[in-house]
Amino acid sequence: MHAKIQITRLPGVTAMLVALWWGFAGPAFAQFASSDAFVDSLSAAASVADTQERDTGLDVLFDSLAANGQIPFRMETEAVFLYRGGASSLGVAGDFNGWNPSNGPASRLGSSDVWIRRESFPADARLDYKFVRNGSQWILDARNPFRQRGGFGDNSEIRMPEYVPSPWVTRVAGRANGSYSNSQTLASAALGYAVTYRVYTPPGYESGAIQNHPVLYVTDGHEYADDLTGSLRIVLDNLIAEGRIDPVIAVFIDPRVGGSNLRASQYVENPYFASFVADELVPVIDQEYRTNPAADARAILGTSLGGLNAAYFG
């Protein structure tokens, strides 16, 4: 990608800006031998004494980086997180440091408003992160368009150069989608409260061609069913369409009760929750849907505490 830049008032930094621009004008950034060279060039732009010249030059550089999808900057296994803005401190928190901004302090370049944090990741890594400004303000990376929704809202997403997005989490145009029921509730004698769930049935279920569907029970169901979080309905549609799995029914169990998320009590080897699923929910699903009731035709899925719960069920 190349673009024309008109520089009419900055004779002292014109040569540097043009040289940097031609380095940035392309996804490979081939003129930089290393991320060290990139940081050196950025530091040179940030060290210009005249405030107006410096800010104009940095605007050019950051605009070109953004246009080429290089915020954060990545080269091989090196990553440079980039932030511009007023701050007394800045940290980078993410999957890679336990979401602790103290483990990812950024450095300000001179007297500019540019902050950087350098990290090394596998060349095919994909990670979530946020900036933490002034010790308490958790913010997205405004110049990075990639987002990933998590249990605590959206995060920014860094994709290293060799990362290949999963083909399974994207809907395919023209591909049949399964159906998704309205919310249903089941009063549980074992738990002492009502549990909400929703049911996915595979494409073609309505035809009745298959009488014995395997069933997947899914904890944290409200997140797994969300196309921006777990994307499981999309994954099932794609796997079924390509013949990777048999058409399955999925039961998405919602841990939220009365405005509170009870996963921390339900998923910790809780015999009452196990009794609810095995003795109360499963019979209802088997009665209302065309299921295969054999033990090897049932599965339980969960992440984190949900994974502990799945092992406990087993």
Side-chain angles (χ1 to χ4, degrees):
M1 174 179 179
H2 291 73
K4 294 181 180 178
I5 297 178
Q6 174 119 16
I7 301 174
T8 58
R9 306 182 351 160
L10 307 177
V13 296
T14 298
M16 178 184 70
L17 289 175
V18 171
L20 286 171
W21 168 254
W22 284 108
F24 291 149
F29 298 85
Q31 100 294 350
F32 290 117
S34 66
S35 59
D36 288 340
F38 165 72
V39 171
D40 288 345
S41 296
L42 181 62
S43 298
S47 65
V48 174
D50 184 274
T51 301
Q52 183 177 355
E53 289 186 5
R54 180 181 66 231
D55 289 345
T56 301
L58 289 172
D59 288 343
V60 170
L61 301 184
F62 272 76
D63 287 349
S64 58
L65 284 166
N68 284 280
Q70 273 287 52
I71 295 180
F73 179 86
R74 290 98 61 217
M75 177 175 284
E76 298 177 347
T77 60
E78 298 298 312
V80 183
F81 292 95
L82 302 166
Y83 175 80
R84 285 193 73 190
S88 60
S89 68
L90 189 81
V92 183
D95 296 327
F96 44 90
N97 61 13
W99 289 96
N100 184 349
S102 297
N103 294 334
S107 300
R108 184 179 177 184
L109 297 184
S111 57
S112 74
D113 61 355
V114 176
W115 298 74
I116 69 170
R117 171 70 188 180
R118 303 183 66 175
E119 296 282 356
S120 294
F121 302 126
D124 61 352
R126 188 221 65 84
L127 300 142
D128 289 8
Y129 70 97
K130 271 192 171 83
F131 292 132
V132 184
R133 185 173 55 197
N134 301 335
S136 60
Q137 301 170 2
W138 292 69
I139 59 175
L140 294 168
D141 187 342
R143 291 181 171 85
N144 178 3
F146 292 111
R147 300 281 188 268
Q148 175 61 52
R149 180 162 297 170
F152 298 96
D154 286 357
N155 296 314
S156 291
E157 177 185 79
I158 181 170
R159 298 180 173 188
M160 294 300 285
E162 296 180 18
Y163 169 72
V164 179
S166 169
W168 305 109
V169 298
T170 301
R171 291 201 181 278
V172 178
R175 178 164 286 176
N177 300 326
S179 298
Y180 191 44
S181 76
N182 293 326
S183 294
Q184 305 177 61
T185 57
L186 179 61
S188 171
L191 291 170
Y193 52 78
V195 177
T196 301
Y197 65 94
R198 299 179 72 174
V199 180
Y200 163 96
T201 50
Y205 176 84
E206 296 79 5
S207 71
I210 299 176
Q211 294 299 311
N212 298 308
H213 291 82
V215 183
L216 175 64
Y217 290 86
V218 185
T219 51
D220 289 315
H222 65 302
E223 293 182 348
Y224 265 107
D226 187 331
D227 288 352
L228 298 178
T229 309
S231 309
L232 183 55
R233 291 181 294 147
I234 299 175
V235 172
L236 292 177
D237 287 342
N238 288 334
L239 291 174
I240 291 168
E242 297 199 13
R244 298 295 189 97
I245 61 173
D246 292 334
V248 301
I249 293 170
V251 181
F252 294 89
I253 308 170
D254 194 329
R256 298 172 299 177
V257 178
S260 298
N261 191 319
L262 302 185
R263 70 188 309 275
S265 61
Q266 290 179 351
Y267 302 166
V268 287
E269 301 177 84
N270 185 333
Y272 303 107
F273 183 67
S275 179
F276 160 71
V277 175
D279 302 326
E280 298 175 337
L281 181 58
V282 166
V284 169
I285 298 300
D286 285 346
Q287 179 180 354
E288 296 182 355
Y289 294 88
R290 298 193 305 276
T291 69
N292 182 343
D296 60 2
R298 292 194 190 111
I300 180 78
L301 170 66
T303 296
S304 191
L305 285 180
L308 172 64
N309 176 78
Y312 176 68
F313 272 39

